[in-house]
Amino acid sequence: MPSSITQNWQTFSAQLAHTGQRRLVLVEGEQEWARGWVQERLGGFDVAGGLWVGCDEGAGAAGVRGVSAAQYKRWLGRETGVLVWDGWQGNPPDGFAGLAGTLRAGGLLFWLMPPLAQWPGFDDPDYSRTGLDGAGEHPFLARLAEVVASDGAVIRVRQGIDEWPVLSDVRGEGAAFRPGATAEQSELVARLVRFGLGRRRRPVVVTADRGRGKSAALGMAAAELLLAGRQQVLVTSPSVDNLQSFFRHAAEVLGDRVESRSESELVLPGGQAICFLPVPELLAQKPEAEVVMVDEAAGLPASWLREVLLGWPRVAFASTVHGYEGTGRGFAIRFRQVLDRETPHWQSVELNQPVRWAQGDPLERVLFRMFLLGARGPDTSKPAPGAVHVEPWNPAQASEAELAEAFGLLVDAHYRTTPADLRQWLDDPAASSWRAVVQGKTVGVLWGCVEGGLDQDLAVQVAMGQRRLRGHLLAQSLASHGGFAEAAQQRCFRVVRIAVAEPARQLGVGRALVAAAEEFCRSQGLDSLGTSFGGEAGLQSFWQGCGLRLVRIGLTREHSTGEFPVQLLKGVSPAGCDLEQRLRRRFARHWQVLIPRHWADMPPELLAQLAADLPVTAEPGPDDWQDLRSFAEGYRGFEVTLPLLREVCSWPGWMAWLAGQDDAGLWCRAVLQGWSWSQVQGAGQVSGKREGEMRLRQIVARWLAQVSEL
């Protein structure tokens, strides 16, 4: 029989469920005491659907399923009634925020931690994973302690002080809260059905905070579409585990009409089906479907989303606004450019009213404050020329309002910004930041960190691939992939993030921030200024305008953006300038060999732009000029001239000239990226081999004519 202690907590949980609330219970004390305290309280709960994160022994003793913090993504999209988070084992912010969103109304989140006063110096075990374990003080945890201590709805259980807290009576008047469809959600289902039966090329983008029922709405709409006559509805997501709610609600709508069912498929007797496919398989197989639904879209690379958008007639995207995979707002802002260009009649829908808990839920409120989940950039008008002031800025010492404005800028400007980024920004001792201010408002921010400075032996091991260190992304990459141990020995300031408010763009604010970082490099005796980002033409132009030059392109696409990482450097010290030039010369000699093997599907416009930034590695001779003239005039064949055409791309001025030509994309595909004429034809760039070769000859003829005039 449950003790009176556990009955009190059961009663409290039932009262929370009645009002639609959830609560954070902070258990402060020694590690073993905290585990035992929670185990005793869980004795009266139904823990079958609960999770204990971080300690298998504690979970087993309490009869709760134990999981590691690294496994949190497997449980997103599900519901839990009780969640125990053993902070003594580590507190990755993305996992904490994500799993807290799985708690339903009446749920309790027990957080096991040292006393609040010890948080600023607490060596979180998760810090070693992110390179933050060298810092003595942790501003991020100090800030969390202030947020938690100031929230009256947080239940604090302190060892030896209030181990038996008085649980307040939270019973409300009126009808009990019932999780279920809201008017907003019902309207979304109806809208998705209209979209799925309607005209082509009018995609829908749904954004919502967690607990608003967007996945359930997608599932109900998918089922309604089958009942209305659609034959195949495909759904994709970062993981099928995230789609439990989707398939459960779809199955409820279809009822006994379902002939066969699995965790990834529902099939009706007539063969109509709702099926899950991972995005790589979806894009590789290209199955027919009248409707495709993409859940948790912000967790997928933007290049994949574009392929899905263009590959099927009706596509709906849904994303969590504030989530582990990155902010849906950042996704919506970045992806909107693609939607505006490719499908200008796209539709946007937002869900605001919670489905799984009541509006104003105390747990959601404190989570938003802890991780700045509602942070937005400032509302500001276009600054007057000269009104912007750039100054050094420390986010750990900023007011909450300033920090929220700055972090909101990062959220708005970047495809994927998570709570973990906030921790890294505040706690990294190697970080420095600047902000651009107009009348007290932050309109731009730059965050960077010092990397490298390794001793010679360790740097050589890194260059040889024998050692891998955390917290040295650019220095380590240039050492191991570029082949120069000096890249890890020298000290480089890497720009991690830069963001400028929309009204302040095109006014030189970004360049002013980069200039401040460069001056910092000089004043601190650093060797270089660098950055690494997902390759995109606009970003490449910006960084080139700031004086940084291409030194490396990654061989595989980034999972976060779906783009190839591009790394640029600007030497500041004499040694840094020398390293920059050596890296560039070596990469310029090697890049053509790598293109067909690794960058064959890179957007050709970006490839041309990147190649134009490389130094010259070849000079033409008399025989080369003769062969080019023969090719331009139609006498010499394409295949036998191909080696020379590739070599031309390393001649002085060629790539810079080519980048401005209408057929630059064709040249990159056929000459540099090694596409066959059937591939080029399949991409719609030529009608066939004859036309393709003719247009390449015309490119060479135009260039020869220009050169002869000089």
Side-chain angles (χ1 to χ4, degrees):
M1 169 178 277
S3 68
S4 59
I5 294 175
T6 59
Q7 284 180 325
N8 287 341
W9 284 93
Q10 282 183 288
T11 302
F12 181 63
S13 175
Q15 291 176 350
L16 291 176
H18 180 86
T19 58
Q21 295 184 33
R22 305 169 302 158
R23 289 292 177 91
L24 174 62
V25 182
L26 183 63
V27 185
E28 307 172 51
E30 296 174 355
Q31 186 175 7
E32 291 306 318
W33 170 83
R35 288 175 180 169
W37 187 94
V38 171
Q39 289 165 0
E40 184 177 356
R41 269 69 193 169
L42 292 181
F45 282 85
D46 177 9
V47 295
L51 291 178
W52 186 305
V53 182
C55 178
D56 289 339
E57 297 84 1
V64 187
R65 181 191 295 269
V67 299
S68 71
Q71 297 174 310
Y72 73 91
K73 291 183 180 180
R74 293 176 49 194
W75 302 93
L76 300 171
R78 310 186 191 191
E79 288 189 3
T80 55
V82 63
L83 177 65
V84 180
W85 187 284
D86 189 348
W88 287 93
Q89 302 298 308
N91 297 277
D94 295 352
F96 190 94
L99 283 182
T102 67
L103 276 173
R104 57 179 172 263
L108 296 172
L109 169 50
F110 293 97
W111 190 9
L112 284 56
M113 286 289 284
L116 278 180
Q118 298 178 16
W119 285 22
F122 175 53
D123 288 325
D124 190 315
D126 189 56
Y127 279 166
S128 61
R129 182 180 59 85
T130 57
L132 296 175
D133 47 337
E137 292 294 316
H138 307 296
F140 176 78
L141 274 176
R143 179 185 165 275
L144 287 193
E146 292 179 3
V147 170
V148 171
S150 65
D151 193 308
V154 174
I155 302 169
R156 294 181 62 184
V157 179
R158 291 170 288 187
Q159 184 177 2
I161 301 175
D162 45 10
E163 299 177 17
W164 295 273
V166 177
L167 301 176
S168 58
D169 192 329
V170 294
R171 288 177 295 183
E173 298 180 358
F177 172 80
R178 290 286 183 269
T182 62
E184 266 190 338
Q185 188 190 49
S186 298
E187 170 54 32
L188 174 59
V189 173
R191 187 166 183 173
L192 287 170
V193 171
R194 292 195 300 271
F195 143 81
L197 297 174
R199 299 175 65 180
R200 301 160 63 96
R201 316 300 297 160
R202 281 169 165 72
V204 174
V205 177
V206 182
T207 53
D209 284 325
R210 293 209 177 278
R212 269 60 182 175
K214 62 173 180 54
S215 296
L218 290 178
M220 290 185 280
E224 294 286 0
L225 286 170
L226 292 194
L227 298 179
R230 291 301 188 198
Q231 297 299 303
Q232 177 94 313
V233 176
L234 296 178
V235 60
T236 191
S237 177
S239 168
V240 70
D241 293 333
N242 304 149
L243 293 172
Q244 285 198 350
S245 176
F246 174 95
F247 278 106
R248 184 175 71 252
H249 283 86
E252 288 174 0
V253 172
L254 295 173
D256 56 9
R257 300 180 184 89
V258 177
E259 183 175 71
S260 65
R261 174 179 180 175
S262 70
E263 68 170 7
S264 61
E265 187 177 57
L266 294 172
V267 182
L268 302 188
Q272 305 96 320
I274 302 171
C275 301
F276 164 79
L277 278 179
V279 181
E281 292 182 26
L282 179 69
L283 296 176
Q285 299 175 15
K286 295 283 178 67
E288 290 189 8
E290 297 102 330
V291 178
V292 173
M293 294 180 171
V294 184
D295 200 8
E296 299 300 358
L300 298 167
S303 59
W304 288 3
L305 299 179
R306 182 179 181 275
E307 287 190 59
V308 175
L309 173 68
L310 300 179
W312 284 267
R314 299 170 190 85
V315 184
F317 301 92
S319 187
T320 304
V321 178
H322 307 108
Y324 73 97
E325 73 290 331
T327 61
R329 192 166 79 250
F331 147 77
I333 291 171
R334 290 284 300 276
F335 195 49
R336 183 179 296 131
Q337 301 168 6
V338 176
L339 293 164
D340 287 342
R341 182 174 63 250
E342 305 288 358
T343 54
H345 298 294
W346 68 282
Q347 312 163 58
S348 177
V349 183
E350 292 185 13
L351 288 179
N352 297 298
Q353 189 174 351
V355 171
R356 288 193 279 121
W357 52 77
Q359 196 81 35
D361 168 56
L363 178 60
E364 184 174 68
R365 183 182 65 226
V366 73
L367 288 171
F368 266 57
R369 290 184 60 204
M370 287 167 59
F371 302 118
L372 291 181
L373 296 181
R376 291 181 177 273
D379 293 327
T380 182
S381 56
K382 185 173 183 177
V388 180
H389 172 65
V390 174
E391 61 186 20
W393 183 70
N394 186 343
Q397 297 176 358
S399 67
E400 278 294 295
E402 282 184 1
L403 183 60
E405 279 187 352
F407 194 66
L409 283 176
L410 297 183
V411 168
D412 288 344
H414 293 272
Y415 180 68
R416 189 171 298 178
T417 301
T418 72
D421 292 314
L422 179 62
R423 180 179 70 174
Q424 194 76 20
W425 196 13
L426 295 180
D427 278 7
D428 186 357
S432 294
S433 301
W434 291 261
R435 67 168 182 159
V437 185
V438 175
Q439 296 179 343
K441 290 189 175 182
T442 304
V443 298
V445 63
L446 183 148
W447 159 27
C449 63
V450 178
E451 297 184 350
L454 308 183
D455 64 57
Q456 183 176 6
D457 290 343
L458 181 55
V460 169
Q461 293 176 36
V462 169
M464 295 179 66
Q466 297 173 335
R467 292 285 300 273
R468 184 168 181 82
L469 308 176
R470 298 195 179 276
H472 297 272
L473 184 152
L474 184 59
Q476 186 164 240
S477 176
L478 296 180
S480 59
H481 299 292
F484 293 102
E486 299 97 306
Q489 288 179 264
Q490 294 184 10
R491 293 196 301 155
C492 170
F493 187 76
R494 176 173 67 90
V495 177
V496 178
R497 293 277 199 280
I498 185 170
V500 176
E502 181 67 36
R505 293 177 186 171
Q506 306 301 318
L507 296 177
V509 175
R511 292 192 184 189
L513 288 165
V514 175
E518 183 177 346
E519 179 56 34
F520 170 79
C521 292
R522 298 185 190 281
S523 68
Q524 298 297 309
L526 303 183
D527 295 294
S528 56
L529 173 68
T531 189
S532 179
F533 58 91
E536 189 269 325
L539 288 175
Q540 173 68 14
S541 296
F542 167 76
W543 286 111
Q544 280 185 279
C546 293
L548 279 75
R549 290 291 174 259
L550 178 66
V551 290
R552 179 178 177 266
I553 305 174
L555 302 182
T556 57
R557 292 182 182 273
E558 292 179 332
H559 178 72
S560 59
T561 65
E563 297 161 345
F564 290 98
V566 174
Q567 296 176 341
L568 284 78
L569 201 67
K570 181 177 184 178
V572 176
S573 72
C577 292
D578 179 66
L579 177 63
E580 174 201 333
Q581 295 304 316
R582 292 166 65 199
L583 284 164
R584 283 171 51 74
R585 286 195 297 268
R586 171 171 284 191
F587 184 66
R589 292 199 308 269
H590 295 172
W591 70 286
Q592 285 199 31
V593 176
L594 300 172
I595 292 172
R597 293 178 62 86
H598 300 284
W599 308 315
D601 58 347
M602 178 184 286
E605 297 78 11
L606 176 61
L607 180 63
Q609 183 184 24
L610 293 171
D613 186 36
L614 291 174
V616 172
T617 58
E619 294 283 348
D623 294 339
D624 298 326
W625 289 114
Q626 181 58 49
D627 283 351
L628 276 185
R629 293 189 188 96
S630 296
F631 176 73
E633 294 169 7
Y635 302 114
R636 187 167 178 80
F638 168 70
E639 295 296 337
V640 295
T641 316
L642 181 57
L644 176 61
L645 298 181
R646 287 187 175 174
E647 185 179 309
V648 168
C649 297
S650 298
W651 289 3
W654 168 265
M655 289 306 303
W657 174 84
L658 178 70
Q661 301 300 304
D662 291 339
D663 273 337
L666 174 61
W667 183 279
C668 288
R669 291 301 197 207
V671 176
L672 287 173
Q673 294 177 296
W675 283 32
S676 67
W677 287 117
S678 60
Q679 287 177 299
V680 179
Q681 182 179 3
Q685 290 186 283
V686 296
S687 60
K689 174 182 176 181
R690 184 173 181 178
E691 181 201 343
E693 292 188 357
M694 178 190 69
R695 286 164 58 186
L696 293 181
R697 296 179 193 277
Q698 290 173 348
I699 292 174
V700 174
R702 288 198 301 272
W703 188 67
L704 289 172
Q706 175 180 292
V707 171
S708 65
E709 294 175 359
L710 298 178

